[in-house]
Amino acid sequence: MSETTPLEAPGNQSRREERAERLRYDDRIDLDTKVSSRQAAVLMGRSLKLLAQARGLFAAKFAFSFGFMASALLLPWIGKIITDNVLLQEPFGETDVPYPPFMQPLVVFVDGMAPMEIMLVVAALLMLMLLVFGTRSGSFEEVGLFEGADAATQGENAISAGGSGAGGLWGVAEYMVHVRLTQRLANTLRTRLFARLTHLPMTTLDDQRIGDSIYRVLYDTPQVPGICYQLTIEPALTLIWGAVNLYLIQYTYSDVAPELVWIAWSAFPLAFIVTFPASALVRRTNQAKRAAGAATTNAIEETMDNVYAVQSLGGMRRDAERFAERSRESFLRERFALAVGIALLVVVLGLMVVAAIYITLLVTDQIIEGVMSPGDFFVIFGLIWGILETATDIGSFWIKLQGPVAAVRRVFFFMDYPVDEDRVHGPRLGPISQGIEFRDVAFSYPDGRRTLSAVNLELKMGEVVAIVGPTGSGKTSLAYLVPAFLQATAGRVLVDGRDLADVDLDSLRSQVAYVFQEHVLLSASIRDNLLLAKPDARDDEVLRALEGAACMDFVGELPDGIDTVLGQSGDTLSVGQQQRLCIARGLIRDTRVLILDEPTAALDPKTENELLEALRSGAKDRLIIVIAHRLSTIRNADRIVFLEDGRIRDVGDHDSLMEKAGGPYRRFVALQGG
Amino acid sequence: MLAEDFLAAIAKADRADAPSMSARRFVELILRAWPFIRPMLKHIVTLLAISAASAVFIVVLWAVASDLLMNKVLVGDRLQPLQAVLLGAGEEYVTTEVADEDPMTVEQRRIVRDRLLIWFGVGGLVFLGGLATLPYYGTWIRHNINQSLRVAMIERAEHLSLKYHSHARVGDAVFRVYQDSAMIVNLLEEALVGPVTVVFWMTLALFLLFFLSPEVAVAVVAVGIPVVWLTVKYTPRIRRRARENRMANSDLTSRLQESFAAIKVVKANRAEARILERFDADSHRALNAAFYLRLEIVLLSAIAMTAGGAVAIAAEYVLAGWVIEDRETYLGAAVAALIGYTVWNLGAFNYARDQVEEVRGNGFWLIRLWCMVQDLFIGLERAFFLLDLEPDIVDGDDPSAFPVPLHSVACRDVHFSYELPDASTLPVLQGVDLVARAGSVTAIVGATGSGKSTLMSMILRLYDPERGRVAFNDIDIRDLRVDDIRANTAIALQKNVLFAGTVADNIGYAADGKTLAEVEAAAKVACADEFILGLDKGYKTELGERGGKLSTGQRQRLSIARAVLRDTPILILDEPTASLDAVTERQLLANLGEWGKDKVVFLITHRLSTIRDADQIAFLEDGRIVEIGPHDELMARPNGRYRGFVEAETVGLQAAG
């Protein structure tokens, strides 16, 4: 549509509104995206439960982090020894500041040595720590690869960049544990979400965009390991680190600088108070960027999957423009979220800079007045800085979780969405022996469209039933009720006298084969396409099914026969041939009930009649339901169900229906025969 | 690009050895990416200049400030002359260069400290200011670069011939357009400027270190040599892992896309558990690929870091000895004007140590960058692979104008075969001759797989014939513009492809500048108006995924309306009425007959009632037209192929009549 069409532009403003609506519309199911702070907390709690899937790795990661932290405690004191006792050559015990207990063995060991002897011991100790912990050599905090500038391209790093604060042997080991932990969490969630999405009801799947599913499964789930980490190990380590530093300060500098500690800790409430009001904004901007990213994914996926149509209809420019618009919007939303994040970071860091300057002021005062030694500056500044960082971390703990929460909400939205299986915990259905009965059945779509009303019908095993009627009369809806792709909104559907709503879905669908109007083939071999329906089928079963659906004449001509690999959605075959393969897939399961939804395009009349004859004689107690327009097919059915406007107008065999003068079926046939 | 070339390229890419990445290929990729980066160059240079300026400011500030803080404020030494100028301090603060001069008084040290802290505050403001603006600016630049590459890739992918698409996976295109293309945003700043700045800081630090102690500087350089050797040895492994990582994630995306595209069949066959198993397997493969790629990087880094760390500790030991000896630094008095590092003291020791750390830290980062760049180039290679595929359907050098008015569409001895993924061929058309004139309806009839739809694809020039030609008014369509051909041909497809969007959007797809009234008129011709108005929002009703909310017959009519709206001289209806009931069909055909009076109309169908009214019927069998003529004429042929077909269709219907 061009920009100027009256379709879009009665006025500028309403056009803009409509465009905004359209963009939002890419989400047709997940519309209410607001999250309150309480809901956010609940989502975090649910993310945490995933940790149960990785207890061992989690414990190992915790132990590794803790061990490394202990080693890191030594470092400032070693620095003090080098400064005071080596470089400035002062004897131990010269200042008021005592070494903490864990340093005593070392201090006792080197006390009285010449400065260079002390340095030798210290250097040896540092070498050991370098090898084991990678001390002072850098860490494997994040072994990220380059990533793009939007959330979709940052997911891979979020799952697998790993990390360890350590380097050296410890770092390598901890790194491995960490990556496996985050991968386990993400994989658990994404496979669960995938399973859940595949179990959505048919009516929901009609509305669920494929690109959106890709986005949620692949790009939203990676935020979960981050949430788990930020809720457990990170605060635990932060608190322990803070407590240890606090203890050290108390122990060594209690008379010197108690106010420093309090100043540093005040960063905690300050950071929290400053950032908390922004939490809803962070969630909203992050939700928007992800929804816009999903819309971009939809655009690529749809264009690529329908490239034949796009090219035939000359829609290349239009589709490229649509993609460009989606992608631009997605990047814009990314930048909005980024701007909010940056603003908050600047506020928090600003607090820290002010605090750091103030601390420097106080500490240098003490040194200038001779209360502390110059060596103390680094120790005390390091310690206070540690507390300051801890306090700010804890203070901004909540705000940092809000971005990931927006992603996790999108995941849990579909984890919570009701699926077919939620409804059914009933007993398994035995082999269907009597038939299917509709009692006062009505069906309306969630959007209110009513397609079936007051349907009463009994279908017996052993029958071939044709469902006939004008386009849009509810034929497919009626057929969909049998394998419970749709659930009657009123009335009951009974199988062998048992209400479908109460039986185990798996035991039902395993006995019903449904061949759809739209022919969907996987880009796999012909054999694999049939094995999708029956994984353990033998070759002769595959061949028999192909023969039954009149596929052998063209399959036999293919160079690799049943092992021929089909192109994307079967493109190398004609549409009719594709549909025949779909029928073969319906046949291979050899189910009690077979539903053929308009096989007309695939089969010429002769083949179709042969197929139905073969099915009829092959298993006399089978139920075959054919939705058809072609008279030659219809008239061979045992019974004909004539539908109009969602109501059954006529039921009977061809001859008896034709005898009704002015009957709707007779009228229909008269028009058909022309 | 022909399918064989594509398959050969895939096979080559799949070979187990590491992808070769010569220096030449690097340069080629950078040149290939340049047109996308070029428009942003001005901004990139601005960004880099601002970043560099603020970094230099902070580094210089810290160099001077660390001396001021440690030697002057903490210890009490007098200021160097320039320092005094910076702090606005008088003569009495400045060192007299006399050996036993008095230190600064407590009061003086306080004043120096206060003024120093003001400088810290300025540094903090510069830092925060940069932090607030530069990442946003940088992201804006990246987004613009990535946007132009993404759009170019989508455009290219849309124009690639169907030969390519029938062998490619949708998920792979998603991955290339999305993930692989994103690498370009890092090309200039991270992959080129990044290492350059890292090397710059490394060299600067080495330089500063050299003036304090050439011995330590040489030792630091010496340890770098084996590390570089090791990195070079390691590189092919990292490339191999990086490529596997991208391929595995691309396959995972494809698996996901294909699962959802086939979801109805999956559900009907209770295959949910099976596709979940496959998804889980693909997911694990992708995660393992990511894990092992990074493990290679971690191991390489661990070795390099340990070697570098050992040298740093050794250097500290030596330097400590020099401090104790009060040994003169290499440059000694030459730097005395600005910094008090004429002899080894606490400040000089810390400063030298910081420089060693700087070299080591940058070296470590350089190795990391090197590894990341390998992955970046593998990604770009995949992105440009798609972009560099040449569509084989392209305009000729000097295309003719589309003939107006169009009198005829002719196929002359048209041959065509499909290429299968295993590179064998499947002949479809084997010498088709056909002339269709304006104002006539040509019905194409034949068994499934006889090549009816393929013949229509030739008229749209979705494929080029291997032999023979398709001509409009005797002009070979290869001499016309592809865009003109498709702009003048409307098709209602057998697969009723609808796109997400409103009903009006779908009818208006690929027809620019049409008013709502025109859309409604087209819908009326296609007998779709009535049911559309019955939808909850009429023409503004949103259709589900792939039009999922409509019945097949309804989708079919939207497809036809879409073709009608475009009002082109050629109209192709591929099985237009297969899912329509007889009443609707009759009405629709009557409408079309009226509407398409001066057009070339092709009709593919099985329906006898539809075929009968055509001006000519072409019966296609084994890739040839074996009979052609009007219904009555063909029916008059004893043992005619068409007659046989009609008889099979009407068998048993006489009784029904």
Side-chain angles (χ1 to χ4, degrees):
Chain A
M1 254 341 97
S2 91
E3 287 289 300
T4 54
T5 64
L7 252 189
E8 293 195 46
N12 245 353
Q13 194 188 347
S14 76
R15 205 181 91 197
R16 209 174 307 126
E17 272 168 23
E18 195 181 317
R19 197 175 140 262
E21 193 184 348
R22 193 90 51 83
L23 279 170
R24 236 180 301 126
Y25 251 135
D26 252 16
D27 264 322
R28 295 204 200 81
I29 301 168
D30 181 12
L31 294 172
D32 183 16
T33 55
K34 276 214 190 75
V35 180
S36 69
S37 286
R38 207 183 59 81
Q39 286 165 322
V42 171
L43 285 168
M44 292 174 202
R46 297 181 63 183
S47 307
L48 273 185
K49 285 193 185 146
L50 285 168
L51 282 174
Q53 301 302 312
R55 284 201 194 91
L57 285 167
F58 181 71
K61 168 66 191 175
F62 200 87
F64 269 120
S65 311
F66 193 75
F68 170 67
M69 202 173 67
S71 84
L73 277 178
L74 298 177
L75 212 53
W77 301 100
I78 292 175
K80 180 176 157 72
I81 292 178
I82 293 177
T83 306
D84 286 350
N85 309 109
V86 177
L87 301 179
L88 301 178
Q89 303 172 52
E90 288 167 13
F92 285 93
E94 190 74 345
T95 56
D96 301 337
V97 181
Y99 282 91
F102 58 80
M103 288 300 291
Q104 288 307 326
L106 181 65
V107 171
V108 170
F109 182 69
V110 296
D111 194 7
M113 286 184 179
M116 281 316 285
E117 284 170 349
I118 299 175
M119 189 64 199
L120 187 64
V121 173
V122 168
L125 183 64
L126 280 175
M127 283 287 189
L128 182 68
M129 287 171 70
L130 171 74
L131 194 65
V132 178
F133 294 109
T135 303
R136 282 186 32 192
S137 77
S139 73
F140 306 130
E141 200 85 71
E142 258 205 16
V143 189
L145 302 171
F146 283 127
E147 54 189 21
D150 61 332
T153 57
Q154 291 159 359
E156 203 260 0
N157 272 337
I159 296 178
S160 298
S164 161
L169 298 172
W170 192 276
V172 172
E174 184 180 347
Y175 165 81
M176 289 168 76
V177 168
H178 187 116
V179 177
R180 284 313 198 190
L181 173 63
T182 52
Q183 288 189 339
R184 175 85 57 90
L185 295 173
N187 190 57
T188 304
L189 189 62
R190 79 183 179 191
T191 45
R192 280 186 190 172
L193 177 61
F194 176 85
R196 197 77 190 166
L197 286 169
T198 59
H199 282 95
L200 287 175
M202 284 287 198
T203 43
T204 312
L205 283 167
D206 280 344
D207 277 331
Q208 174 55 11
R209 306 283 314 263
I210 296 174
D212 185 70
S213 296
I214 293 177
Y215 198 96
R216 286 179 204 250
V217 173
L218 290 185
Y219 311 142
D220 282 333
T221 56
Q223 295 301 313
V224 133
I227 289 190
C228 290
Y229 188 76
Q230 282 180 46
L231 280 171
T232 54
I233 296 175
E234 195 176 281
L237 292 182
T238 312
L239 285 173
I240 293 169
W241 187 242
V244 168
N245 274 319
L246 196 62
Y247 162 77
L248 289 175
I249 294 246
Q250 290 296 332
Y251 185 84
T252 52
Y253 295 101
S254 55
D255 356 323
V256 191
E259 73 272 27
L260 286 179
V261 176
W262 293 114
I263 290 165
W265 272 111
S266 67
F268 158 53
L270 267 180
F272 184 74
I273 291 165
V274 169
T275 56
F276 183 79
S279 43
L281 180 65
V282 173
R283 289 192 296 264
R284 201 159 59 240
T285 49
N286 274 277
Q287 154 65 25
K289 83 172 184 188
R290 287 178 180 276
T296 312
T297 318
N298 288 336
I300 314 178
E301 193 275 334
E302 192 180 58
T303 303
M304 288 296 105
D305 202 26
N306 295 308
V307 73
Y308 180 84
V310 170
Q311 291 198 0
S312 306
L313 299 166
M316 286 94 89
R317 192 177 51 80
R318 177 199 179 277
D319 265 26
E321 272 170 16
R322 200 177 54 126
F323 169 77
E325 189 195 329
R326 292 284 200 267
S327 173
R328 203 179 303 119
E329 173 77 13
S330 154
F331 281 140
L332 184 67
R333 296 284 164 194
E334 288 281 343
R335 292 201 295 279
F336 282 174
L338 178 72
V340 172
I342 289 175
L344 288 167
L345 184 68
V346 166
V347 169
V348 170
L349 284 180
L351 275 176
M352 289 180 80
V353 169
V354 171
I357 289 176
Y358 190 59
I359 291 166
T360 310
L361 188 73
L362 293 182
V363 177
T364 46
D365 257 348
Q366 307 267 353
I367 293 167
I368 291 168
E369 280 163 15
V371 183
M372 291 187 216
S373 73
D376 289 334
F377 177 81
F378 297 100
V379 179
I380 202 165
F381 193 87
L383 291 171
I384 295 283
W385 184 256
I387 294 177
L388 189 63
E389 271 188 321
T390 310
T392 333
D393 268 2
I394 301 176
S396 47
F397 154 83
W398 175 257
I399 201 76
K400 278 190 290 184
L401 282 165
Q402 301 312 306
V405 156
V408 168
R409 188 206 62 76
R410 292 166 49 83
V411 174
F412 281 115
F413 176 82
F414 275 111
M415 298 294 273
D416 296 343
Y417 203 87
V419 300
D420 295 345
E421 282 71 7
D422 289 345
R423 193 180 49 91
V424 178
H425 299 288
R428 293 185 64 81
L429 193 66
I432 304 174
S433 58
Q434 294 152 31
I436 297 163
E437 191 187 346
F438 297 80
R439 277 193 203 156
D440 285 324
V441 169
F443 179 77
S444 309
Y445 278 96
D447 59 11
R449 281 178 301 129
R450 190 175 188 84
T451 57
L452 292 174
S453 318
V455 171
N456 281 293
L457 181 65
E458 211 171 328
L459 307 174
K460 294 195 188 64
M461 300 308 285
E463 278 189 312
V464 175
V465 179
I467 303 180
V468 182
T471 332
S473 56
K475 302 186 292 292
T476 299
S477 296
L478 183 65
Y480 267 20
L481 290 172
V482 175
F485 290 154
L486 301 178
Q487 280 86 45
T489 42
R492 301 203 295 161
V493 182
L494 306 170
V495 176
D496 282 359
R498 287 161 74 178
D499 195 327
L500 272 191
D502 299 331
V503 302
D504 179 69
L505 206 56
D506 204 67
S507 64
L508 169 68
R509 288 194 187 159
S510 63
Q511 299 189 59
V512 181
Y514 197 110
V515 178
F516 295 93
Q517 272 173 306
E518 312 87 15
H519 21 272
V520 178
L521 293 171
L522 310 177
S523 34
S525 71
I526 290 176
R527 184 209 303 270
D528 284 346
N529 266 288
L530 266 65
L531 292 188
L532 177 76
K534 191 176 183 194
D536 52 353
R538 294 183 311 273
D539 269 11
D540 60 311
E541 291 175 276
V542 172
L543 291 172
R544 204 174 329 125
L546 287 170
E547 212 146 330
C551 296
M552 282 320 286
D553 56 336
F554 70 87
V555 171
E557 276 176 25
L558 293 171
D560 293 325
I562 60 171
D563 289 316
T564 305
V565 176
L566 305 176
Q568 181 192 320
S569 37
D571 278 353
T572 32
L573 298 177
S574 85
V575 174
Q577 290 168 337
Q578 292 177 40
Q579 201 163 11
R580 283 195 214 177
L581 284 183
C582 293
I583 293 174
R585 187 163 57 194
L587 296 182
I588 196 170
R589 275 169 65 200
D590 198 18
T591 49
R592 311 283 305 150
V593 180
L594 173 67
I595 305 173
L596 297 170
D597 197 345
E598 296 210 33
T600 324
L603 304 172
D604 50 66
K606 207 163 138 256
T607 321
E608 187 176 335
N609 283 327
E610 279 170 12
L611 169 67
L612 288 176
E613 273 317 308
L615 288 173
R616 190 203 296 268
S617 58
K620 290 210 183 337
D621 52 353
R622 217 194 291 263
L623 172 61
I624 297 167
I625 301 172
V626 188
I627 300 177
H629 286 297
R630 187 184 279 158
L631 266 183
S632 53
T633 316
I634 300 170
R635 67 183 307 279
N636 285 328
D638 298 321
R639 267 202 310 163
I640 295 161
V641 177
F642 188 79
L643 273 178
E644 205 171 42
D645 292 333
R647 288 171 195 278
I648 296 181
R649 300 292 185 192
D650 244 347
V651 182
D653 63 29
H654 179 76
D655 295 337
S656 65
L657 289 181
M658 288 305 285
E659 279 165 17
K660 291 188 191 174
Y665 177 72
R666 190 185 161 119
R667 223 172 38 233
F668 176 80
V669 170
L671 283 165
Q672 184 88 1
Chain B
M1 176 135 184
L2 293 172
E4 297 97 284
D5 299 354
F6 171 69
L7 291 171
I10 291 282
K12 195 174 146 212
D14 278 346
R15 274 212 311 261
D17 53 318
S20 64
M21 187 59 76
S22 62
R24 203 181 130 199
R25 186 71 192 131
F26 267 68
V27 174
E28 275 171 14
L29 277 173
I30 291 164
L31 288 179
R32 191 71 189 77
W34 188 245
F36 300 97
I37 296 174
R38 176 72 190 77
M40 283 287 120
L41 194 59
K42 192 174 66 187
H43 295 286
I44 295 172
V45 170
T46 311
L47 176 70
L48 290 175
I50 298 173
S51 313
S54 42
V56 167
F57 174 75
I58 287 171
V59 165
V60 172
L61 186 71
W62 179 244
V64 180
S66 64
D67 173 49
L68 277 169
L69 180 68
M70 287 182 265
N71 293 330
K72 292 4 188 229
V73 175
L74 298 189
V75 178
D77 290 351
R78 285 167 173 265
L79 305 182
Q80 317 305 121
L82 263 175
Q83 290 175 338
V85 175
L86 283 173
L87 295 179
E91 279 296 314
E92 64 277 18
Y93 290 85
V94 179
T95 175
T96 50
E97 301 292 345
V98 177
D100 287 326
E101 65 178 353
D102 290 332
M104 288 192 288
T105 63
V106 168
E107 206 43 46
Q108 284 173 329
R109 281 162 72 182
R110 281 230 169 87
I111 291 169
V112 168
R113 193 266 324 266
D114 291 347
R115 295 181 183 174
L116 178 62
L117 285 181
I118 292 172
W119 275 103
F120 276 153
V122 172
L125 282 179
V126 170
F127 170 70
L128 286 179
L131 195 74
T133 51
L134 296 183
Y136 188 90
Y137 189 28
T139 305
W140 178 81
I141 293 170
R142 285 151 183 256
H143 283 170
N144 276 301
I145 294 173
N146 200 0
Q147 172 78 2
S148 56
L149 179 59
R150 273 182 181 183
V151 172
M153 286 174 74
I154 274 285
E155 276 172 353
R156 173 47 52 99
E158 282 176 350
H159 282 87
L160 285 177
S161 82
L162 297 174
K163 278 184 188 169
Y164 167 80
H165 287 291
S166 64
H167 297 306
R169 299 174 85 178
V170 173
D172 186 62
V174 172
F175 193 86
R176 284 177 203 263
V177 171
Y178 231 159
Q179 306 288 340
D180 291 331
S181 86
M183 288 298 110
I184 196 173
V185 305
N186 302 301
L187 185 61
L188 198 65
E189 287 169 71
E190 307 286 344
L192 292 177
V193 178
V196 170
T197 37
V198 170
V199 169
F200 171 79
W201 291 120
M202 249 173 105
T203 318
L204 181 68
L206 264 177
F207 186 75
L208 295 172
L209 184 62
F210 187 85
F211 286 124
L212 288 172
S213 160
E215 299 90 334
V216 176
V218 168
V220 169
V221 172
V223 77
I225 293 167
V227 169
V228 168
W229 177 82
L230 184 70
T231 307
V232 170
K233 284 278 155 199
Y234 232 81
T235 305
R237 296 168 64 93
I238 288 171
R239 279 183 199 147
R240 203 158 47 228
R241 298 280 192 198
R243 195 194 44 176
E244 163 62 12
N245 189 28
R246 286 184 180 274
M247 278 168 44
N249 277 291
S250 163
D251 286 351
L252 180 65
T253 314
S254 296
R255 171 78 65 200
L256 199 55
Q257 192 275 336
E258 285 158 16
S259 302
F260 285 110
I263 190 70
K264 278 191 175 182
V265 174
V266 167
K267 288 177 87 70
N269 290 298
R270 298 308 281 157
E272 288 103 330
R274 262 166 281 146
I275 60 164
L276 176 63
E277 227 168 76
R278 288 184 192 177
F279 176 79
D280 194 43
D282 276 1
S283 174
H284 271 109
R285 181 182 150 215
L287 294 174
N288 279 338
F291 176 75
Y292 287 115
L293 165 60
R294 289 183 172 81
L295 192 58
E296 300 280 6
I297 300 175
V298 162
L299 288 175
L300 173 64
S301 306
I303 296 168
M305 281 153 60
T306 308
V311 170
I313 293 169
E316 265 175 54
Y317 178 77
V318 173
L319 290 176
W322 293 351
V323 172
I324 291 166
E325 290 167 21
D326 273 341
R327 181 170 149 160
E328 195 173 325
T329 58
Y330 178 64
L331 217 63
V335 289
L338 187 61
I339 310 173
Y341 298 156
T342 43
V343 292
W344 285 100
N345 54 21
L346 178 60
F349 174 86
N350 278 322
Y351 190 75
R353 201 187 67 172
D354 285 350
Q355 299 316 312
V356 175
E357 295 295 291
E358 181 81 8
V359 176
R360 211 174 43 73
N362 277 312
F364 172 47
W365 184 234
L366 198 60
I367 291 173
R368 195 60 91 60
L369 268 178
W370 175 257
C371 298
M372 290 161 81
V373 163
Q374 303 310 312
D375 172 63
L376 177 139
F377 274 97
I378 299 279
L380 273 189
E381 187 85 84
R382 284 174 48 90
F384 286 119
F385 172 80
L386 180 66
L387 206 56
D388 289 343
L389 288 176
E390 284 300 327
D392 52 359
I393 307 285
V394 288
D395 293 339
D397 289 337
D398 184 20
S400 315
F402 192 87
V404 181
L406 181 72
H407 302 301
S408 71
V409 172
C411 298
R412 305 277 183 215
D413 191 31
V414 170
H415 285 73
F416 182 74
S417 315
Y418 281 112
E419 282 156 54
L420 298 175
D422 60 3
S424 59
T425 59
L426 183 69
V428 183
L429 301 179
Q430 305 183 54
V432 170
D433 282 293
L434 176 69
V435 179
R437 297 190 190 288
S440 77
V441 175
T442 303
I444 314 280
V445 181
T448 30
S450 56
K452 301 186 294 289
S453 299
T454 308
L455 184 58
M456 295 301 104
S457 302
M458 310 309 280
I459 292 171
L460 279 166
R461 216 187 154 206
L462 293 176
Y463 302 102
D464 278 334
E466 286 153 20
R467 230 170 79 194
R469 62 188 199 129
V470 178
F472 294 170
N473 283 8
D474 280 334
I475 305 171
D476 192 321
I477 62 170
R478 278 171 289 202
D479 294 332
L480 302 174
R481 277 181 229 281
V482 177
D483 283 349
D484 284 349
I485 296 171
R486 299 190 189 154
N488 284 288
T489 312
I491 182 167
L493 294 165
Q494 190 175 10
K495 275 192 173 178
N496 301 289
V497 176
L498 296 183
F499 299 90
T502 64
V503 171
D505 278 346
N506 265 286
I507 296 176
Y509 183 90
D512 283 344
K514 300 289 184 186
T515 64
L516 186 55
E518 287 171 289
V519 169
E520 285 171 359
K524 281 194 183 106
V525 172
C527 294
D529 191 52
E530 199 182 327
F531 87 80
I532 293 171
L533 292 177
L535 298 172
D536 54 347
K537 286 187 184 165
Y539 282 86
K540 296 206 169 171
T541 308
E542 288 281 336
L543 301 177
E545 182 71 354
R546 315 283 201 258
K549 283 180 179 172
L550 300 178
S551 80
T552 312
Q554 291 169 332
R555 287 208 294 271
Q556 219 151 42
R557 281 177 279 169
L558 285 192
S559 284
I560 294 169
R562 178 154 66 193
V564 166
L565 178 65
R566 293 184 59 202
D567 196 19
T568 54
I570 303 173
L571 175 67
I572 300 171
L573 301 170
D574 194 349
E575 294 273 10
T577 56
S579 297
L580 300 185
D581 60 89
V583 185
T584 314
E585 185 202 22
R586 182 115 349 131
Q587 181 63 46
L588 189 140
L589 288 173
N591 291 352
L592 280 177
E594 179 63 26
W595 172 83
K597 269 188 297 218
D598 52 348
K599 301 180 192 304
V600 182
V601 180
F602 292 97
L603 190 62
I604 298 179
T605 182
H606 282 296
R607 279 241 178 137
L608 207 50
S609 49
T610 320
I611 302 169
R612 203 173 289 162
D613 298 329
D615 296 296
Q616 63 172 350
I617 296 163
F619 194 83
L620 203 57
E621 196 171 68
D622 293 336
R624 280 189 201 85
I625 290 178
V626 290
E627 284 179 15
I628 188 162
H631 178 76
D632 296 339
E633 189 188 309
L634 295 186
M635 287 304 283
R637 295 187 192 180
N639 301 323
R641 307 293 305 158
Y642 174 72
R643 184 173 166 169
F645 167 83
V646 172
E647 277 164 2
E649 178 87 358
T650 49
V651 66
L653 272 189
Q654 278 67 19

